[in-house]
Amino acid sequence: MVTHQHGRRRFLQMLASSPALTGGIGLGSLLGASSHAEEELITAADQAVNVLEFEAVARKNLPPWHYAYLATGVTDDSTLQANRDAFGRYQLHTRRLVDVAKVDMSVKLFGEVWETPIMLSPVGSQRAFHPEAELATARAASAQKHNFICSTHSSTAIEEVNKVMERPAWFQLYPTDDWNVTRAVVKRAEKAGCPVMVLTVDSQNGALRDTLFKVRRSAPVKCTDCHIGGFTYNAVASRRPMFAGLDLSKVTTQLPLNMTWDVLPRLKELTSMKLLIKGIVTKEDAALALQQGVDGIIVSNHGGRSEDSKRASIDCLPDVIAAVNGKVPVLVDGGFRRGTDFFKALAMGASAVCIGRPYLWALAAFGQLGVETVLTLLRKELQIDMRQAGAASIGQITREFLVR
C-alpha cells in the first residue's frame, strides 16, 4: 500500500514549481522537503509573527488532497495569484503629527457595531481541516468579537454554530435547482437567528481546478473512500447538515445555470434577513443588484477558485464602490493577508473586509487557538498601519490615503 508520506512527497514534487499557492514562493523552495525547512515551522500559535506562517503548518498537518482543495485556484492559478499581486499596485500616502493615541477600528453594519472591519468569509467543509470544524471557527470569531459568515456547505449545522456565537452568524446561501430545497434552507437559517443572508453568485459548477484535480489523480487514497456517493452536487448536498431531512431527488446543481436577477426579489420575499450578494465584480452588476433591492454587496472572485478572469478583487472594488455611491455597504474579499491590504480596501471605500484562507490555515494548524491568533495578528497590523498612516478611526481612512 502506498504510504501517506510517499503521497506527500509526490504532492510536493508536483507542486514545487507552482508560485501561486504561496504568494509567489514555489512550494518546493518554501517546504523544500529538507529537514531544515521542517525545523523552522512554528510549533505553537503564539509563535507566529504573521498569518502567512500558518500555511506551512497547515500543509504539513493536512492530507495532500485536503490541502490541495484549500490551496487550489482555477486553471493555472493566475487569478488566485492576481489577488495578491494587485496590492503591490497601490501605495499609502501617509500623514504625520496626527493624534493617534486612541485608534477606533469599529464599524457599523445593519445596526450592529463590530470592533473591527475584519470578518471571516464563508468556507464549506471545514471538517476537512480540523475535527472541530466550524465550531472552532465560530468560537474563535466570537471570542475575538469578529463576524463569521457560515456556509451552506458547512460541516456543522447552523443551529450548532449559533449556539457558540455571542451573536448569530451570517448565513451564506448556495441556491439549488430545486426551489423547494432552497426555500427550506433559507427558512432554517432564519429560524436559527441569522440576521443576514449572503447569496453567492460566482461559483457555478465546472470550475477547472487543475491543482486539485492533479492531486486527486495522484493521491494515495481515493477521495471516494470518504466522500461516499462521489462528487456530484446531489451527493455533496446529501452529506451536508443544512440539507438534512430534505428531499434532494430533484437537486442536481448549485447556482442553476438559468438563474437570473429575478432570484433576488424571490429571496427577499422568503425572509426578513438582510440580503447581500457575493461575487459582484463590475459596476454594471452592482447597479443591477441595487435595482433588485439588495442590502449590501460583497466584491469577490471566490478567492480565485471559480472564474479565470485574471482580475483581482481589489482592482474591481473601486468600480463597484462608484456604482453603489454609498447606497448600501460594500464588502470585499480575495487575497487579504496583511494590515496594509485591509487599509487599502478601506481607503477605497469598503465597509468591511473578509478573509478566507488565512483563518483556514490557522484552523488546520492549531484549531480554535490558531484562528484566534490570526484575528489578533491582523487586528494588530491594521491598528499599527492606521497609526503610521495618520488615521485614528475607520471613518478617517479615505481615498486621500491611497496612491495608485
Coordinates of all heavy atoms in Angstrom, one line a residue, residues 107-110 114 116-122 147 149 170 196 198 276-281 295-301 313-314 316-318 320-321 324 328-334 336 345-346 349-355:
V107 N -16.8 49.3 13.2 CA -17.6 49.6 12.0 C -19.0 49.2 12.4 O -19.3 48.4 13.3 CB -17.2 48.8 10.8 CG1 -15.8 49.3 10.3 CG2 -17.2 47.3 11.0
K108 N -20.0 49.9 11.7 CA -21.4 49.6 12.0 C -22.0 49.0 10.7 O -21.9 49.7 9.6 CB -22.1 50.8 12.4 CG -23.6 50.6 12.9 CD -24.2 51.8 13.5 CE -25.6 51.6 14.0 NZ -26.2 52.8 14.6
L109 N -22.7 47.9 10.8 CA -23.3 47.2 9.6 C -24.7 46.7 10.1 O -24.8 46.0 11.0 CB -22.5 46.1 9.1 CG -21.2 46.4 8.4 CD1 -20.4 45.1 8.2 CD2 -21.5 47.1 7.1
F110 N -25.7 47.2 9.4 CA -27.1 46.8 9.6 C -27.5 46.9 11.1 O -28.1 46.0 11.7 CB -27.3 45.4 9.1 CG -26.8 45.2 7.7 CD1 -25.8 44.3 7.4 CD2 -27.4 45.9 6.7 CE1 -25.4 44.1 6.1 CE2 -26.9 45.8 5.4 CZ -25.9 44.8 5.1
W114 N -19.3 46.3 15.1 CA -18.3 45.4 15.3 C -17.0 46.1 15.6 O -16.7 47.2 15.1 CB -18.1 44.6 14.0 CG -19.4 43.8 13.6 CD1 -20.4 44.3 12.8 CD2 -19.7 42.5 14.0 NE1 -21.4 43.3 12.7 CE2 -21.0 42.2 13.5 CE3 -19.1 41.5 14.8 CZ2 -21.6 41.0 13.7 CZ3 -19.8 40.3 15.0 CH2 -21.0 40.1 14.5
T116 N -14.0 45.5 14.7 CA -13.1 45.7 13.6 C -13.8 45.4 12.3 O -14.9 44.8 12.3 CB -11.8 44.8 13.6 OG1 -12.1 43.5 13.0 CG2 -11.3 44.6 15.0
P117 N -13.3 45.9 11.2 CA -13.9 45.6 9.9 C -13.5 44.3 9.3 O -13.8 44.0 8.1 CB -13.4 46.7 9.0 CG -12.1 47.0 9.5 CD -12.1 46.8 11.0
I118 N -12.8 43.4 10.1 CA -12.2 42.2 9.6 C -13.2 41.1 9.9 O -13.6 40.8 11.0 CB -10.9 41.8 10.2 CG1 -9.9 43.0 9.9 CG2 -10.4 40.5 9.7 CD1 -8.6 42.9 10.7
M119 N -13.7 40.4 8.8 CA -14.7 39.3 9.0 C -14.2 38.0 8.4 O -13.3 38.0 7.6 CB -16.0 39.8 8.3 CG -16.6 41.1 8.9 SD -18.2 41.4 8.3 CE -18.6 42.9 9.3
L120 N -14.9 36.9 8.8 CA -14.5 35.6 8.3 C -15.4 35.2 7.1 O -16.6 35.1 7.3 CB -14.5 34.6 9.4 CG -13.7 34.9 10.6 CD1 -13.7 33.7 11.6 CD2 -12.2 35.2 10.2
S121 N -14.9 35.0 6.0 CA -15.6 34.6 4.8 C -16.2 33.2 5.0 O -15.7 32.4 5.7 CB -14.7 34.6 3.6 OG -14.4 35.9 3.1
P122 N -17.3 32.9 4.2 CA -17.8 31.5 4.3 C -17.0 30.5 3.5 O -16.6 30.8 2.4 CB -19.2 31.7 3.6 CG -19.0 32.9 2.6 CD -18.1 33.8 3.3
N147 N -17.1 39.0 13.1 CA -18.3 38.4 12.4 C -17.8 37.2 11.6 O -16.7 37.1 11.0 CB -18.9 39.4 11.4 CG -20.2 38.9 10.9 OD1 -20.9 38.0 11.5 ND2 -20.7 39.5 9.8
I149 N -19.3 34.4 8.6 CA -20.3 34.0 7.7 C -20.3 32.5 7.5 O -19.3 32.0 7.0 CB -20.1 34.8 6.3 CG1 -20.0 36.3 6.6 CG2 -21.3 34.5 5.4 CD1 -19.6 37.1 5.3
W170 N -23.8 35.3 10.2 CA -24.5 35.5 8.9 C -24.5 34.1 8.2 O -23.7 33.3 8.4 CB -23.8 36.5 8.1 CG -23.8 37.9 8.7 CD1 -24.4 38.3 9.9 CD2 -23.3 39.1 8.1 NE1 -24.2 39.7 10.0 CE2 -23.6 40.2 8.9 CE3 -22.6 39.3 6.9 CZ2 -23.2 41.5 8.6 CZ3 -22.2 40.6 6.6 CH2 -22.5 41.7 7.4
V196 N -28.5 38.0 8.6 CA -28.1 38.4 7.2 C -27.9 37.1 6.4 O -27.3 36.1 6.9 CB -26.8 39.2 7.2 CG1 -26.3 39.5 5.8 CG2 -27.0 40.5 8.0
V198 N -26.3 35.8 2.8 CA -25.3 36.2 1.7 C -25.4 35.2 0.5 O -25.0 34.1 0.6 CB -23.8 36.2 2.3 CG1 -22.9 36.6 1.2 CG2 -23.7 37.1 3.5
L276 N -27.4 40.1 1.1 CA -26.2 40.6 0.5 C -26.0 39.7 -0.7 O -26.4 38.5 -0.7 CB -25.0 40.5 1.4 CG -24.7 41.8 2.3 CD1 -25.9 42.0 3.3 CD2 -23.4 41.6 3.0
I277 N -25.4 40.2 -1.8 CA -25.0 39.4 -2.9 C -23.5 39.4 -3.0 O -22.8 40.4 -3.0 CB -25.6 39.9 -4.2 CG1 -25.3 39.0 -5.4 CG2 -25.2 41.4 -4.5 CD1 -26.2 39.3 -6.6
K278 N -22.9 38.2 -3.1 CA -21.5 38.0 -3.0 C -21.0 37.4 -4.4 O -21.5 36.5 -4.9 CB -21.1 37.0 -1.9 CG -19.6 36.7 -1.8 CD -19.4 35.8 -0.6 CE -17.9 35.6 -0.3 NZ -17.2 34.8 -1.4
G279 N -20.0 38.1 -4.9 CA -19.4 37.7 -6.2 C -19.6 38.7 -7.3 O -19.3 38.5 -8.5
I280 N -19.9 40.0 -6.9 CA -20.1 41.1 -7.9 C -18.7 41.7 -8.1 O -18.0 42.0 -7.2 CB -21.1 42.1 -7.3 CG1 -22.4 41.5 -7.1 CG2 -21.1 43.3 -8.3 CD1 -23.1 40.9 -8.4
V281 N -18.4 41.9 -9.4 CA -17.0 42.4 -9.7 C -17.1 43.5 -10.8 O -16.0 44.0 -11.2 CB -16.1 41.3 -10.2 CG1 -15.7 40.4 -9.1 CG2 -16.7 40.5 -11.4
D295 N -29.4 44.6 0.1 CA -29.0 45.4 1.2 C -27.5 45.6 1.3 O -27.0 46.3 2.2 CB -29.5 44.7 2.5 CG -31.0 44.6 2.5 OD1 -31.7 45.6 2.5 OD2 -31.5 43.4 2.5
G296 N -26.7 44.9 0.5 CA -25.3 45.0 0.5 C -24.7 44.2 -0.6 O -25.3 43.3 -1.1
I297 N -23.4 44.4 -0.9 CA -22.7 43.7 -1.9 C -21.3 43.3 -1.4 O -20.7 44.0 -0.6 CB -22.4 44.7 -3.1 CG1 -23.8 44.9 -3.8 CG2 -21.4 44.1 -4.1 CD1 -23.7 45.9 -5.0
I298 N -20.9 42.1 -1.7 CA -19.5 41.6 -1.4 C -18.8 41.5 -2.7 O -19.2 40.6 -3.6 CB -19.5 40.3 -0.6 CG1 -20.3 40.5 0.7 CG2 -18.0 39.9 -0.3 CD1 -20.2 39.3 1.6
V299 N -17.8 42.3 -3.0 CA -16.9 42.2 -4.2 C -16.0 40.9 -3.9 O -15.3 40.9 -3.0 CB -16.1 43.4 -4.4 CG1 -15.1 43.2 -5.5 CG2 -17.0 44.6 -4.6
S300 N -16.1 40.0 -4.9 CA -15.4 38.7 -4.7 C -15.2 38.0 -6.0 O -16.1 38.0 -6.8 CB -16.1 37.9 -3.7 OG -15.5 36.6 -3.6
N301 N -14.0 37.4 -6.2 CA -13.9 36.4 -7.3 C -13.7 35.0 -6.7 O -13.0 34.2 -7.3 CB -12.7 36.9 -8.2 CG -11.4 36.9 -7.5 OD1 -11.2 36.4 -6.4 ND2 -10.4 37.6 -8.1
S313 N -9.8 41.0 -7.0 CA -10.9 41.7 -6.3 C -10.6 43.1 -6.0 O -11.5 44.0 -6.1 CB -11.2 40.9 -5.0 OG -11.8 39.6 -5.3
I314 N -9.4 43.4 -5.5 CA -9.1 44.8 -5.1 C -9.2 45.7 -6.3 O -9.5 46.9 -6.1 CB -7.8 44.9 -4.3 CG1 -7.6 46.2 -3.6 CG2 -6.6 44.6 -5.3 CD1 -8.4 46.4 -2.4
C316 N -11.3 45.4 -8.7 CA -12.7 45.5 -9.0 C -13.5 46.4 -8.1 O -14.5 47.0 -8.4 CB -13.4 44.1 -9.0 SG -12.7 42.9 -10.1
L317 N -12.9 46.6 -6.9 CA -13.6 47.3 -5.8 C -14.0 48.8 -6.2 O -15.1 49.2 -5.9 CB -12.8 47.2 -4.5 CG -13.3 47.9 -3.3 CD1 -14.7 47.3 -2.9 CD2 -12.3 47.8 -2.1
P318 N -13.1 49.6 -6.7 CA -13.4 51.0 -7.0 C -14.6 51.1 -7.9 O -15.4 52.0 -7.7 CB -12.1 51.5 -7.6 CG -11.0 50.7 -7.1 CD -11.6 49.3 -7.0
V320 N -17.2 49.1 -8.3 CA -18.4 48.8 -7.6 C -18.7 49.9 -6.6 O -19.9 50.3 -6.4 CB -18.2 47.4 -6.9 CG1 -19.4 47.1 -6.0 CG2 -18.0 46.3 -7.9
I321 N -17.7 50.4 -5.9 CA -17.9 51.5 -4.9 C -18.6 52.7 -5.6 O -19.5 53.3 -5.1 CB -16.6 51.9 -4.2 CG1 -16.1 50.8 -3.3 CG2 -16.8 53.2 -3.5 CD1 -16.8 50.6 -2.0
V324 N -22.3 52.0 -6.5 CA -23.2 51.9 -5.4 C -23.4 53.3 -4.8 O -24.5 53.6 -4.3 CB -22.6 51.0 -4.3 CG1 -23.3 51.1 -3.0 CG2 -22.7 49.5 -4.8
V328 N -25.6 51.3 -0.2 CA -25.6 50.1 0.6 C -24.1 49.8 1.0 O -23.2 50.3 0.3 CB -26.2 48.9 -0.1 CG1 -27.6 49.1 -0.4 CG2 -25.4 48.5 -1.3
P329 N -23.8 49.0 2.0 CA -22.5 48.7 2.3 C -21.8 47.8 1.2 O -22.5 47.0 0.6 CB -22.6 47.9 3.6 CG -23.9 48.3 4.2 CD -24.8 48.5 3.0
V330 N -20.6 48.0 1.0 CA -19.8 47.2 0.1 C -18.6 46.5 0.8 O -17.8 47.2 1.4 CB -19.3 48.0 -1.1 CG1 -18.4 47.1 -2.0 CG2 -20.4 48.6 -1.9
L331 N -18.6 45.2 0.9 CA -17.6 44.4 1.5 C -16.7 43.8 0.4 O -17.1 43.9 -0.8 CB -18.1 43.3 2.4 CG -18.8 43.7 3.7 CD1 -20.2 44.4 3.4 CD2 -19.1 42.5 4.6
V332 N -15.6 43.3 0.7 CA -14.7 42.7 -0.3 C -13.9 41.5 0.3 O -13.6 41.5 1.5 CB -13.7 43.8 -0.8 CG1 -12.8 44.3 0.3 CG2 -12.9 43.2 -2.0
D333 N -13.6 40.5 -0.5 CA -12.6 39.5 -0.1 C -11.7 39.2 -1.3 O -12.0 39.6 -2.4 CB -13.3 38.3 0.5 CG -14.0 37.4 -0.5 OD1 -13.9 37.6 -1.7 OD2 -14.8 36.6 -0.1
G334 N -10.7 38.4 -1.0 CA -9.8 37.9 -2.1 C -8.3 38.3 -1.9 O -7.9 39.4 -2.3
F336 N -6.5 38.9 0.9 CA -6.1 39.7 2.0 C -5.3 39.0 3.1 O -5.7 38.0 3.6 CB -7.3 40.4 2.7 CG -8.0 41.4 1.8 CD1 -8.9 41.0 0.9 CD2 -7.7 42.7 2.0 CE1 -9.6 41.9 0.1 CE2 -8.3 43.7 1.2 CZ -9.2 43.3 0.2
A345 N -8.2 48.6 1.0 CA -9.6 48.4 0.7 C -10.5 49.4 1.4 O -11.4 49.9 0.8 CB -10.0 47.0 1.0
L346 N -10.2 49.7 2.7 CA -11.0 50.6 3.4 C -10.8 52.0 2.8 O -11.8 52.8 2.8 CB -10.6 50.6 4.9 CG -10.9 49.3 5.6 CD1 -10.1 49.3 7.0 CD2 -12.4 49.2 5.9
G349 N -13.1 52.6 0.1 CA -14.5 52.8 0.5 C -15.2 51.5 0.9 O -16.4 51.5 1.2
A350 N -14.5 50.4 1.1 CA -15.1 49.2 1.6 C -15.6 49.4 3.0 O -14.9 50.1 3.8 CB -14.1 48.0 1.5
S351 N -16.7 48.8 3.3 CA -17.3 48.9 4.7 C -16.6 47.9 5.6 O -16.6 48.1 6.8 CB -18.8 48.6 4.6 OG -19.4 49.6 3.8
A352 N -16.2 46.7 5.0 CA -15.5 45.7 5.8 C -14.8 44.8 4.8 O -15.0 44.8 3.6 CB -16.6 44.9 6.6
V353 N -13.9 44.0 5.4 CA -13.1 43.1 4.5 C -13.1 41.7 5.1 O -13.0 41.5 6.3 CB -11.6 43.6 4.5 CG1 -10.7 42.7 3.6 CG2 -11.5 45.0 4.0
C354 N -13.2 40.7 4.2 CA -13.4 39.3 4.7 C -12.1 38.5 4.3 O -11.5 38.8 3.3 CB -14.6 38.6 4.0 SG -16.1 39.5 4.2
I355 N -11.8 37.6 5.2 CA -10.6 36.7 4.9 C -11.1 35.2 4.8 O -12.1 34.9 5.4 CB -9.6 36.8 6.0 CG1 -10.1 36.5 7.4 CG2 -8.9 38.2 6.0 CD1 -9.1 36.3 8.5

